[in-house]
Amino acid sequence: MSKRRESNNFNVWRSYSDMMAGLLMLFVLIMCVTLFQAQKNYDEKIAEQEERMAMQAQYTNELDQQKLTVEQQEALLKSQDELLASQKTKLEEQAAKLAEQQATLKTQEEKLTQQQTSLKEQQTTLAEQEKKLAEQQATLKTQEGQITEQKAALKEQKGKLAEQQSALEEQTAKVKEKQAQLDKIIGVKADVIEALRNEFTNHNINVDIDPQTGALLLDSNVLFEFDDTTLLKEGEEVLQQVLPIYCEVLLGEEYRDNVAEIIIDGYTDTNGTYDYNLELSQKRSLAVAQYLLGIDEQFLDEQQMQMLQEKLTVNGHSMSNPILNEDGTVNMEASRRVEVKFRLKDEDMISEMSKIVAEE
């Protein structure tokens, strides 16, 4: 019980001390605020006094400057009076000189009047001369216009002549170039035909090669039975002899880059209908092509075989383009034929170029 009372007393004193400490702190804060406010008021009064002193100094300085300005104006006024007196003296001297100059000017005016009279006479003469000169200039201008027109016409004619000459030279150059290309193409074709003829001669094989087109003509009567599309044994032997030589020349290294197509064309005589003969000619040309593709590995390498497949074309022409006798009648046996021929890459340009060259 005694310990509890002591504890309560301690708590009371502790609360009291905390309260006193708080009051003391509050008192200190009040004092600080009061001192701060007093210092601020003091500083404001000092600043106000300094401002008043500065204004008073500025006012004093302005008075001094005004006083100095008045003295300067008095000195300037005195200097201007002296200058005015000097100018008055100079003005009197100038007036005297002016009087002399006026007398001289009068004399000069009299001389000028005389000169003007003389000048007027000269102007009259000059006007007459100018009139004559204007007439001459007008005539000259007319002549110059005519000369200019003539020069323009001559220049235009020269321009047209130059254009015509240039066009003529250009056309001549084109003709020469096209003629050279045409000669080259024809030359290549002639070389291929000659190479074919020589190669068959070297093998002692007598064949019918068209000297203009290089077409190899094969008699259908040797290749097929009448009205049949199956190759005869004799026909296969003929193809075995001639097709390898023909293809080796065309697909050889010298000419293969120029060859666009290797063409097998079938033809019939004029007996029967067009449709029936068309089918017959197509089947016969196809039979020759199939036989060629069946034996190509015997005389061509892989590259040449690939080129043959790319370039080979088969056509049937039915009864068109029959071969005629001298009397104009159809040679039935000769019309039944198979032609193996070639087309150069630039050959289809020959006819067009020939027309252009002929026109130009």
Side-chain angles (χ1 to χ4, degrees):
M1 187 68 177
S2 171
K3 290 181 178 181
R4 183 178 296 176
R5 288 180 179 178
E6 291 178 0
S7 177
N8 292 333
N9 291 332
F10 178 75
N11 291 331
V12 171
W13 283 106
R14 184 175 179 181
S15 299
Y16 180 74
S17 64
D18 291 341
M19 183 182 65
M20 292 302 293
L23 292 173
L24 180 61
M25 181 63 68
L26 180 62
F27 178 75
V28 170
L29 289 174
I30 293 171
M31 289 298 293
C32 289
V33 171
T34 303
L35 289 174
F36 177 77
Q37 186 65 36
Q39 183 66 36
K40 183 178 179 182
N41 294 335
Y42 179 75
D43 291 341
E44 291 177 354
K45 289 181 179 180
I46 294 299
E48 185 178 355
Q49 290 178 358
E50 289 177 352
E51 184 178 358
R52 289 178 181 177
M53 291 176 67
M55 291 177 62
Q56 185 174 3
Q58 182 179 1
Y59 178 72
T60 303
N61 188 25
E62 290 178 355
L63 289 177
D64 292 339
Q65 289 180 354
Q66 290 177 358
K67 183 178 180 181
L68 181 61
T69 302
V70 171
E71 292 175 355
Q72 290 177 348
Q73 290 177 351
E74 290 177 352
L76 180 60
L77 185 60
K78 184 177 180 181
S79 174
Q80 289 177 349
D81 291 339
E82 294 175 354
L83 180 61
L84 185 60
S86 176
Q87 289 177 349
K88 184 177 180 181
T89 302
K90 289 181 180 180
L91 184 60
E92 291 174 353
E93 294 175 356
Q94 290 176 355
K97 290 181 179 180
L98 180 61
E100 294 177 359
Q101 291 175 353
Q102 286 177 346
T104 303
L105 182 60
K106 187 176 181 181
T107 303
Q108 291 177 350
E109 286 178 350
E110 293 175 354
K111 291 180 179 181
L112 181 60
T113 301
Q114 295 175 357
Q115 291 176 354
Q116 287 177 345
T117 303
S118 177
L119 180 61
K120 188 174 182 181
E121 294 175 356
Q122 292 176 358
Q123 286 176 344
T124 303
T125 304
L126 182 60
E128 295 176 356
Q129 292 176 351
E130 286 178 349
K131 184 178 180 181
K132 292 180 180 180
L133 180 60
E135 293 176 355
Q136 293 175 352
Q137 287 178 342
T139 304
L140 181 61
K141 188 174 182 181
T142 303
Q143 293 175 351
E144 287 178 349
Q146 293 174 352
I147 293 173
T148 302
E149 291 176 357
Q150 292 174 354
K151 286 182 178 180
L154 181 61
K155 185 176 181 181
E156 184 178 357
Q157 290 176 356
K158 286 182 177 179
K160 290 181 179 180
L161 182 60
E163 291 178 359
Q164 292 174 355
Q165 183 66 29
S166 177
L168 180 59
E169 292 175 355
E170 184 178 354
Q171 290 177 354
T172 302
K174 288 181 179 180
V175 168
K176 289 181 179 179
E177 182 182 355
K178 291 173 182 177
Q179 186 63 49
Q181 294 176 356
L182 186 59
D183 293 342
K184 182 179 178 181
I185 295 170
I186 295 174
V188 171
K189 188 166 188 177
D191 291 343
V192 174
I193 295 172
E194 185 64 24
L196 288 169
R197 295 169 69 91
N198 291 337
E199 196 65 24
F200 280 110
T201 301
N202 293 337
H203 286 79
N204 294 320
I205 299 175
N206 186 20
V207 293
D208 187 5
I209 294 181
D210 189 312
Q212 300 298 324
T213 65
L216 173 64
L217 275 66
L218 302 174
D219 188 354
S220 291
N221 296 321
V222 177
L223 301 178
F224 306 96
E225 291 282 357
F226 181 78
D227 198 24
D228 195 6
T229 60
T230 303
L231 282 170
L232 296 171
K233 187 66 176 179
E234 182 183 358
E236 291 180 353
E237 292 175 357
V238 171
L239 295 178
Q240 179 69 41
Q241 287 182 327
V242 298
L243 290 182
I245 296 174
Y246 199 87
C247 291
E248 283 177 343
V249 173
L250 295 178
L251 298 177
E253 185 175 355
E254 186 175 0
Y255 301 115
R256 62 190 179 192
D257 291 337
N258 298 104
V259 176
E261 280 185 300
I262 298 175
I263 306 166
I264 299 177
D265 289 335
Y267 297 88
T268 68
D269 57 27
T270 56
N271 288 326
T273 64
Y274 181 87
D275 293 345
Y276 181 84
N277 287 328
L278 178 62
E279 182 180 0
L280 180 62
S281 62
Q282 288 175 341
K283 288 183 178 180
R284 284 182 172 180
S285 59
L286 181 59
V288 175
Q290 289 173 339
Y291 181 80
L292 172 60
L293 294 175
I295 64 171
D296 59 355
E297 60 183 4
Q298 298 176 13
F299 57 90
L300 298 177
D301 57 29
E302 291 185 3
Q303 183 181 5
Q304 291 173 323
M305 292 169 60
Q306 180 66 30
M307 292 177 66
L308 176 61
Q309 294 175 11
E310 293 174 354
K311 299 177 185 293
L312 185 61
T313 302
V314 178
N315 301 309
H317 296 277
S318 187
M319 60 181 68
S320 61
N321 298 326
I323 296 177
L324 304 178
N325 296 313
E326 293 181 359
D327 60 359
T329 59
V330 177
N331 187 330
M332 294 296 188
E333 290 188 3
S335 297
R336 295 191 294 270
R337 69 195 185 277
V338 174
E339 293 182 1
V340 182
K341 57 186 179 182
F342 64 90
R343 182 179 64 83
L344 298 179
K345 289 182 178 178
D346 295 327
E347 190 174 356
D348 50 358
M349 297 168 58
I350 292 177
S351 58
E352 185 64 26
M353 290 175 64
S354 299
K355 291 179 182 178
I356 295 174
V357 170
E359 290 174 358
E360 295 177 350

